[in-house]
Amino acid sequence: MKAFLRYIPAVHVLQRNPVFKKISEDSGIPEQVLTNWMQEETDQLRKMLLDEQWQGAEPAEEVFTVYLLKALGEKVQRFSKTRLRPVINGTGVVLHTNLGRARLGENAVRAVHAAAVNYSNLEYDLERGERGSRHDIVESLVCQVTGAEAAMVVNNNAAAVYLVLRALAKNREVIVSRGQLVEIGGSFRVSEIMEESGARLVEVGTTNKTHYYDYEDTIREETAMLMKVHTSNFKVSGFTESVETGQLAGLAQQNGLVFYEDLGSGAFYDFAAHGIGEEPLVSQVLREGVDLVTCSGDKLLGGPQAGIIAGKKQWIDRLKKHQLARVLRVDKMTFAALEATLKDYIRRSAVETIPTVRDILADKKEIKARSQRFIDFAAETVPAFLCELAEDESQIGGGTMPDVYLPTWGVLLRHKQISPQGLADGLRSGDPPVIARMKDEQVFIDFRTVSDDEMETLLGALRQLEP
């Protein structure tokens, strides 16, 4: 293969090729960038020959010219596609972390667009005509929904936990039940976040049982805080015991300590009233006497990625003044989306306007009807695909209510000439990608997370796969 290295055309020769010039004209990419990419492809071809991995036609200058120009064209195509791409979520997992978690409602999308294309009063007080605070944009709305005295927003819930511990318990002790030292996504652990914050972790109780006296007997002069972590991403059942929020609130108050509860997912809508899980409402927890609560914006709330901190004004004011508040602050588009989402809750329209709430509460009959409509459309437009209505269960996802399974309906997809795995791979590689799951060794699309508006797009994805 080394003997064929001489057939690799020089980059300056390839630059004069009409195909190269057409790629340059059509793509709008500067010629110098294309030249650099062509050099990369040439280097890769040289390495392929040296490693004896060439598997194309008999090496010749014409063969390598065609190969390199084709490789450049494919590189340009990949570049032209946005890396953050819309996908169709056919998994049925409503808060799919790998697929971006919560979809924003239409009101939030419009608000984000307006904030993105215009200047805004992000930190400008329009009434006074002077500098304002970005905290004011959503604080009153969070308070109205939750009943908190004050609130602020940072860029995610892990940041909220870190800020609370760093600002209020650095170099002091924080008492936490051993059964609540959870690990969240990406191997981030509460105990390690606490260590990074400078707070000193004091574990009490055991994995399955922690009593009131465990906390009471551990409090000393170095104690700054009692912390409770809601175990939203796992359940401990059987021989268990924990201390109620109200009891811990009383104990903290008696000893002049901060009582902080990290809810993680953070429900603003009462899903438990519909028999779905046991997630406590943020407002309910605050009524039980907690000083501070933190939760996510892009989980059960159904808004943008954010960490919401709500509670007593004296503590929120300290957090706002901490230097980390600037480091962890969110941008104008996050505020715009969060404001619109919170207003949907205040209007009591969340079930209709917020996709996360709507999809979690979706009626099984409604999902079945949507699945059947797709089957009827598919029979007319892509008859080569065999579609079968099937029952299954969906999960909420995002580390939220892991023991909750929602009854659902979907469609089993088959094709006589394409294997199930080939079908799944083909859907994932399409434009837009369709992410399905396997059920009984067949491709299954759960219509809990596929809307009527996505039907035609999904049918188009199937057309792309027809041999």
Side-chain angles (χ1 to χ4, degrees), residues 3-22:
F4 298 126
L5 290 174
R6 66 181 184 275
Y7 293 142
I8 298 177
V11 171
H12 71 269
V13 173
L14 292 167
Q15 283 180 293
R16 294 196 295 268
N17 191 290
V19 174
F20 183 96
K21 293 185 179 298
K22 188 172 189 320

Side-chain angles (χ1 to χ4, degrees), residues 177-180 204-211 214 239 241:
S177 168
R178 283 190 175 86
Q180 295 170 8
V204 296
T206 61
T207 302
N208 62 319
K209 279 199 167 193
T210 303
H211 304 275
D214 289 320
F239 197 52
E241 187 170 333

Side-chain angles (χ1 to χ4, degrees), residues 88-92 374-375 385-392 409-416 418-429 433-447 450 458 461-462 465:
I88 293 179
N89 177 11
T91 68
F374 176 79
I375 291 174
F385 287 88
L386 305 175
C387 300
E388 179 185 342
L389 193 65
E391 270 187 287
D392 206 68
W409 285 87
V411 174
L412 288 169
L413 277 178
R414 295 193 297 278
H415 193 285
K416 292 180 180 179
I418 307 174
S419 69
Q421 190 58 56
L423 183 54
D425 293 343
L427 287 170
R428 191 181 64 253
S429 303
V434 178
I435 313 301
R437 56 187 167 92
M438 303 301 288
K439 172 180 167 63
D440 301 329
E441 297 184 355
Q442 297 179 69
V443 173
F444 179 71
I445 297 178
D446 187 333
F447 274 76
V450 179
L458 182 53
L462 295 184
L465 295 177

Side-chain angles (χ1 to χ4, degrees), residues 174-180 202-206 209-220 223 225-229 241-245 247-249 251-252 255 257 259-260:
V174 177
I175 301 175
V176 188
S177 168
R178 283 190 175 86
Q180 295 170 8
V202 178
E203 302 175 30
V204 296
T206 61
K209 279 199 167 193
T210 303
H211 304 275
Y212 181 88
Y213 61 77
D214 289 320
Y215 293 94
E216 188 177 35
D217 294 347
T218 309
I219 293 172
R220 57 181 189 160
T223 306
M225 180 184 294
L226 301 185
M227 180 179 180
K228 183 175 183 180
V229 182
E241 187 170 333
S242 61
V243 184
E244 296 296 324
T245 294
Q247 292 179 285
L248 287 177
L251 180 61
N255 290 274
L257 306 176
F259 177 35
Y260 159 47

Side-chain angles (χ1 to χ4, degrees), residues 92-124:
V93 180
V94 179
L95 297 172
H96 200 305
T97 298
N98 303 131
L99 302 183
R101 285 194 186 157
R103 291 191 286 177
L104 294 178
E106 290 183 9
N107 292 331
V109 171
R110 284 194 291 270
V112 169
H113 180 264
V117 301
N118 296 293
Y119 289 106
S120 65
N121 61 324
L122 178 65
E123 289 189 352
Y124 186 77

Side-chain angles (χ1 to χ4, degrees), residues 322-341:
H322 197 277
Q323 289 299 312
L324 277 177
R326 183 177 180 86
V327 175
L328 303 174
R329 70 184 185 180
V330 300
D331 72 340
K332 59 186 178 182
M333 289 177 283
T334 300
F335 273 122
L338 187 55
E339 177 186 359
T341 302

